[in-house]
Amino acid sequence: MNILFVALAALCWGLSGGIGGILTAHNWDPVVVSFYRGAIGFLFVLCWLMLRPNNSGLANHKLWFWSAIAGLGIAGNFTFYFISIAEGSVAIAATLMYCAPVFVYLVSFTLKLERPTLLKWAAIVMIIFGIALLTGIYNIDADDVTLIAAGAGLLAGLSYALFIFGFKYAAPHGSPQAILVIAFAVLATLLIFLGDADQTLAVLTTPSWPLFLVLGILGAGLSFIFYIVGLNHTPPAVASIVAMVEPVTASLFGVIILSESLAALQVLGMGIIVLTVTALSVKSSTQGGQPSHPSKTLSSPLRQSRTDGRMRGP
């Protein structure tokens, strides 16, 4: 059952990319789409916190600081992800966001939180090679993937890396639901000022409002809860493999529903990235190392906090 929750979370994240693709294709501002995804998610995690308020850590200033950092990361992740989708495709945006471990490891190496090894450097090189194939940067005449689409996709991964570190350092000071409440509150506060005010209000009366609602429920409300609950008794290595559902679902949604297409070399690049990231994550989790995938980053801090007894999970 726990593995099912992890798979459902990954499926929700994958579908949220496709729904975001539909909305941005109808000229909705990616920032507005991101705002509603996070704001609706905030309502869900707030209810979760109200149902399980014990050991929340809300009186701890360190929890607020690191949770706010995580909120900045998730705000950037949602926004850059939908910008990449709007400028490119769901499949490419989802796969580029899946490259977050590159940034996680590079930052970890710089801060001496992780010891660099030949295997890790080789994996990073393979991921960069996959990015080159996926985006077509080796061909100066290629115009399938714009610079904005590729850059935003990578920035989505970088932003999720920021969320990783924010969540990691907030976890010892409070419950996951409290961290997510603060993070999503920061996201909503930031994006409501950055988004188009007219569009933000127009969502409330548009015929497309059910899509916004489903996006928030699947992409931020239920998915994070499912994933944290699923991690209770799911080995990180298993979760790493199951979470491959996310980029696969997003890619299939783009191809089947949105009629997107990928060249053979792009499919090869996508395969290299997904398989390398998954292998790297499995290797890292079995050795107790730094989490290496955006949809798996909650596992390490969550488990660590439970072990030291300072936080209680769902």
Side-chain angles (χ1 to χ4, degrees), residues 10-55:
L11 179 64
C12 288
W13 281 319
L15 291 175
S16 68
I19 296 171
I22 294 175
L23 291 171
T24 55
H26 286 82
N27 296 319
W28 287 102
D29 181 5
V31 179
V32 173
V33 176
S34 301
F35 164 74
Y36 276 97
R37 179 181 179 182
I40 295 171
F42 168 78
L43 297 178
F44 273 77
V45 295
L46 179 61
C47 291
W48 185 24
L49 177 61
M50 293 172 64
L51 291 173
R52 292 187 175 272
N54 295 336
N55 301 300

Side-chain angles (χ1 to χ4, degrees), residues 66 87 91 98 148 162 218 229:
W66 289 112
E87 297 291 333
Y98 207 76
I148 295 178
L162 180 62
L218 296 183
V229 172

